[in-house]
Amino acid sequence: MEDLRIFLCSLENAYKNRYVSFSELQKIRNEKPKIPKNRENRKIRKKINYYLNKREKLNRQFIRRMQKEVFEVEGNRLDPEQIAAVVACEDAELILASAGSGKSASLMGKVNYLVNDLKIPASEILVIAFTRKVVKELNERMGKSGVEICTFHSFGNKIIKNLKVGKELKLVPDGFLENVMTRILKSYAKDFVGIKEFGEEENLKKLLISALQLQKNEQISLKEFHARILKMKDEKEKLRAEKFFEIYARVVRIYGKILRDNRLYDFSDMLTFSTRIVNNMPKGKLKYQYVLVDEVQDLSLSKSLLLKAILDNCESVKLFAVGDDWQSIYRFAGSNLGVLNDFEKTFARKTYRGVISKTYRFGQPTAWVSEYFIRKNRAQTKKKVKTAKKTKTPIEICLTNFDNKTQTPADYEMVNLKLNELYQKIGDDLFSKRVQVIGRYNKDLYRLVDFKNKKFQNAKIVAEKEDGVVLDWKIDGAFKKLEVAFCSMHKSKGITRDIVFVINMNSGEKGMPSTRADESILATMLAKPDKYPLAEERRLFYVAITRATEKTFIISEHKKISPFVREIDKNLDGEIG
């Protein structure tokens, strides 16, 4: 009888102080003492069975209790949805968050909770972000926490470097792949049949590099790649692809030999090599109790396989993944939304699913306009976006009257006009604003400045960075210049600015949405596209219009208005809402 009381007490304490995961309950079940069926222990037996069979109900009650507590990150209180994400410690946790809803704050809150409340050693927590920029930001914000924060590639690189077998492998230097491809093409150009089919050598080189990176990232053999080409339905495209494959197969073999002979590995090999190494490690070699992954919607097959290898090696490890399927925009680079959609099956873990729907970045009408637009694709997660901002974040449609006789770019004219109008309205306060111009393509920059001179009238490029370009913009009547940043829609993901201009919102192949078909050769290796028409282009536009805290201007030529612009404002009459 005493054993039963002790067991019941441990159950009560477990549910009182923390979330009990599926695997933890299975361990508790295995420790359950035998309970003789008699009147004396009927009540205690009933209580034990209640705790063993009502896990989900008891966990919900625990979350509700914790939501009444105060959780703070960097002096800001977490909202109830964020708190639920923090304290729900299932075997796997998938949190889908709206744009501007504080994903990083939730992730940091999770780390704080694991270390301070659950007493998990910081050294046994691994945080994986998608870019070095985010890793740097998290390290700065979290200070010397002792938590390991890295990208997938830097983690893979660490694993490879720690492998003490034979002569040490070395990572290729920057620009190595491009230089080797140039040398191979120059050396063997005469041997490649059909090389002229692909235009200039630079175009072929880009296609070869893209194909090689995708093949490695998707872990597709040459034989499988060729088999996929043979299944292409368009005979003309299939013939072109077969000519490419003859060149590609030889180039890849030459490149592979160069790597092997020099004990080198490239950027893509970091993932495949490290996955193989981790899979061959003794079970329990990695000591992580928790793995946290940011931007889970961008997982490619190779990254998901490395993540799975890490989880399978660790004992009793849990997974926390946060992202937003509404912002999945990297299919062209190998990201596979199917990993997120089949999350529980992919990682073979009982999964808690949650949403964080309140945005702290923008107010109305941006909140309802962006949600209305993105939810047209019903295959995506349903989230009802709420805003914490009481001030408005308007969207203004700006139609240009492009005149072919003038050399002045229409997008430049409109941006210049609106910046000067803002200066007339708010004066020198404009110079304290973070201003961003976003285009569908990198080359949309030249809708603002001249290609050769890097400037045009009031705008001049003063710096080129990894994530975009910085311009000095002369404002009429002002004594100083305004700093204006430019980037593509893809690079705008993750940024927050006060004022945003979205340019080139025109219909057509080179506008938005882009109607260009995927390169058919590369498409054989990409994840299947969404069934919903132009789904990824739709997500790109959603990303662009959810960057501003104060106002978004959307610029479109009046004779070539993007169908996306017409969707969000059928009247096309200035400010929405």
Side-chain angles (χ1 to χ4, degrees):
M1 192 70 172
E2 185 64 25
D3 288 346
L4 294 182
R5 288 197 180 94
I6 293 171
F7 182 69
L8 176 60
C9 186
S10 67
L11 272 174
E12 289 174 335
N13 287 333
Y15 282 111
K16 182 180 179 181
N17 299 316
R18 62 185 172 89
Y19 185 104
V20 177
S21 71
F22 178 80
S23 61
E24 287 168 339
L25 185 65
Q26 294 306 106
K27 288 180 181 179
I28 291 171
R29 283 182 184 277
N30 294 335
E31 295 169 0
K32 177 180 142 182
K34 290 184 179 180
I35 308 175
K37 290 188 177 181
N38 54 53
R39 289 185 179 181
E40 187 181 351
N41 60 35
R42 186 174 62 183
K43 287 184 178 179
I44 198 168
R45 186 172 73 241
K46 189 175 179 180
K47 280 187 177 181
I48 288 173
N49 288 335
Y50 174 77
Y51 283 115
L52 292 177
N53 298 322
K54 298 292 183 179
R55 184 183 75 92
E56 292 183 0
K57 177 182 178 180
L58 292 164
N59 280 335
R60 285 195 299 270
Q61 290 175 353
F62 168 73
I63 290 172
R64 283 197 293 270
R65 286 199 306 273
M66 298 305 287
Q67 285 173 328
K68 295 176 183 177
E69 302 291 324
V70 175
F71 284 75
E72 288 190 351
V73 173
E74 298 177 321
N76 297 313
R77 292 183 65 164
L78 299 185
D79 64 39
E81 288 177 330
Q82 290 173 320
I83 292 172
V86 165
V87 302
C89 294
E90 190 53 85
D91 298 325
E93 194 175 348
L94 176 60
I95 304 299
L96 297 178
S98 302
S101 61
K103 273 194 302 93
S104 295
S106 301
L107 190 147
M108 291 166 64
K110 187 78 172 184
V111 171
N112 292 341
Y113 179 71
L114 296 177
V115 173
N116 299 326
D117 292 72
L118 299 190
K119 305 303 178 185
I120 294 175
S123 59
E124 296 178 14
I125 298 172
L126 173 65
V127 177
I128 306 178
F130 264 74
T131 65
R132 287 174 292 181
K133 182 181 176 182
V134 175
V135 168
K136 182 182 177 183
E137 179 190 326
L138 287 173
N139 274 315
E140 288 172 352
R141 292 173 69 178
M142 293 175 68
K144 295 180 180 179
S145 62
V147 172
E148 183 179 353
I149 306 173
C150 60
T151 63
F152 275 99
H153 284 93
S154 62
F155 179 86
N157 201 30
K158 182 190 77 170
I159 292 292
I160 295 169
K161 284 185 174 181
N162 289 341
L163 181 67
K164 306 295 183 184
V165 180
K167 188 178 178 182
E168 184 182 354
L169 289 169
K170 291 184 179 179
L171 178 64
V172 299
D174 290 342
F176 179 85
L177 177 55
E178 291 77 4
N179 292 335
V180 170
M181 284 293 176
T182 300
R183 294 206 311 268
I184 292 173
L185 288 175
K186 287 187 184 301
S187 301
Y188 296 91
K190 294 179 182 178
D191 301 337
F192 294 144
V193 178
I195 195 170
K196 293 181 180 179
E197 177 90 19
F198 302 94
E200 296 179 7
E201 182 184 294
E202 190 64 26
N203 293 335
L204 177 57
K205 185 174 81 171
K206 286 180 180 178
L207 186 55
L208 285 166
I209 290 172
S210 295
L212 176 63
Q213 291 172 334
L214 270 176
Q215 187 204 341
K216 285 190 173 188
N217 288 336
E218 295 302 302
Q219 301 188 23
I220 299 169
S221 66
L222 274 175
K223 184 178 180 181
E224 172 62 19
F225 183 19
H226 191 226
R228 293 187 184 192
I229 286 172
L230 294 177
K231 290 178 182 177
M232 291 173 70
K233 294 180 180 179
D234 188 303
E235 289 300 323
K236 186 178 178 181
E237 287 296 319
K238 185 197 291 187
L239 182 62
R240 175 175 172 270
E242 287 195 75
K243 288 179 180 177
F244 172 80
F245 185 79
E246 288 177 19
I247 299 168
Y248 177 77
R250 187 166 181 183
V251 168
V252 166
R253 289 188 181 106
I254 295 168
Y255 177 68
K257 187 175 186 303
I258 291 170
L259 292 179
R260 288 191 300 275
D261 289 350
N262 294 280
R263 296 287 291 173
L264 297 171
Y265 62 97
D266 64 21
F267 198 66
S268 299
D269 291 330
M270 283 187 198
L271 302 180
T272 52
F273 284 13
S274 57
T275 300
R276 202 176 306 148
I277 292 167
V278 174
N279 279 330
N280 289 324
M281 281 180 176
K283 181 82 172 175
K285 176 79 173 176
L286 299 176
K287 303 297 183 183
Y288 302 115
Q289 288 194 50
Y290 239 101
V291 178
L292 295 86
V293 180
D294 191 21
E295 304 292 3
V296 66
Q297 77 281 351
D298 293 330
L299 278 177
S300 61
L301 176 64
S302 55
K303 287 173 180 172
S304 67
L305 288 174
L306 176 55
L307 177 57
K308 192 172 187 305
I310 295 168
L311 297 172
D312 289 346
N313 184 271
C314 300
E315 295 178 354
S316 304
V317 66
K318 292 181 179 179
L319 172 63
F320 173 86
V322 61
D324 183 8
D325 57 336
W326 291 4
Q327 298 185 70
S328 176
I329 57 174
Y330 290 110
R331 176 177 169 269
F332 73 94
S335 72
N336 188 341
L337 201 50
V339 175
L340 184 148
N341 292 334
D342 295 325
F343 189 84
E344 190 160 2
K345 182 180 177 182
T346 301
F347 298 108
R349 278 166 167 72
K350 184 71 175 178
T351 301
Y352 170 93
R353 289 175 176 261
V355 297
I356 303 175
S357 57
K358 183 181 285 187
T359 181
Y360 297 86
R361 180 182 296 153
F362 47 82
Q364 300 294 6
T366 295
W368 69 259
V369 168
S370 59
E371 181 191 348
Y372 162 79
F373 177 79
I374 196 64
R375 282 185 63 179
K376 291 283 186 74
N377 182 356
R378 295 189 178 182
Q380 298 168 156
T381 305
K382 290 182 180 178
K383 296 192 289 285
K384 180 64 179 173
V385 179
K386 303 181 286 287
T387 177
K389 287 195 72 171
K390 294 181 180 179
T391 55
K392 285 190 173 184
T393 307
I395 297 175
E396 183 175 339
I397 309 297
C398 308
L399 300 184
T400 63
N401 291 298
F402 184 70
D403 183 356
N404 288 323
K405 294 178 182 179
T406 180
Q407 296 300 310
T408 307
D411 292 283
Y412 163 83
E413 278 195 334
M414 186 57 75
V415 173
N416 191 56
L417 173 66
K418 292 300 175 181
L419 286 176
N420 278 282
E421 285 181 358
L422 284 169
Y423 181 67
Q424 293 300 318
K425 187 176 181 180
I426 64 175
D428 286 345
D429 284 350
L430 177 63
F431 295 98
S432 65
K433 304 295 183 185
R434 298 165 299 169
V435 181
Q436 182 79 41
V437 180
I438 300 173
R440 170 63 179 83
Y441 309 97
N442 288 318
K443 65 184 179 182
D444 284 340
L445 171 64
Y446 301 109
R447 292 174 169 271
L448 303 176
V449 295
D450 179 75
F451 177 76
K452 289 182 179 179
N453 300 319
K454 308 293 184 183
K455 63 181 180 179
F456 188 85
Q457 292 182 4
N458 289 353
K460 180 182 178 181
I461 295 175
V462 292
E464 295 187 30
K465 300 181 179 180
E466 187 179 346
D467 57 353
V469 173
V470 179
L471 302 99
D472 270 352
W473 205 292
K474 186 179 181 300
I475 304 297
D476 296 342
F479 292 103
K480 55 183 177 180
K481 294 178 180 178
L482 176 68
E483 184 178 291
V484 176
F486 170 85
C487 68
S488 68
M489 288 185 177
H490 284 98
K491 288 180 179 177
S492 74
K493 188 167 172 293
I495 68 172
T496 298
R497 298 292 184 264
D498 299 312
I499 298 164
V500 169
F501 293 87
V502 184
I503 64 173
N504 189 22
M505 284 305 301
N506 306 318
S507 59
E509 186 178 297
K510 297 179 180 179
M512 180 65 186
S514 172
T515 53
R516 289 180 185 175
D518 291 330
E519 163 57 61
S520 59
I521 294 167
L522 301 181
T524 61
M525 293 187 282
L526 294 173
K528 289 182 180 180
D530 299 57
K531 292 181 180 179
Y532 194 84
L534 300 169
E536 189 144 329
E537 292 293 297
R538 182 174 287 273
R539 292 192 286 267
L540 257 182
F541 184 52
Y542 170 79
V543 167
I545 64 173
T546 54
R547 300 304 97 194
T549 62
E550 295 183 16
K551 188 167 186 176
T552 299
F553 296 91
I554 297 174
I555 301 174
S556 181
E557 292 178 25
H558 80 290
K559 290 183 180 178
K560 296 167 61 178
I561 300 170
S562 163
F564 284 176
V565 175
R566 293 186 182 278
E567 264 192 62
I568 64 171
D569 186 17
K570 294 176 182 178
N571 297 321
L572 302 171
D573 59 352
E575 280 195 9
I576 299 174

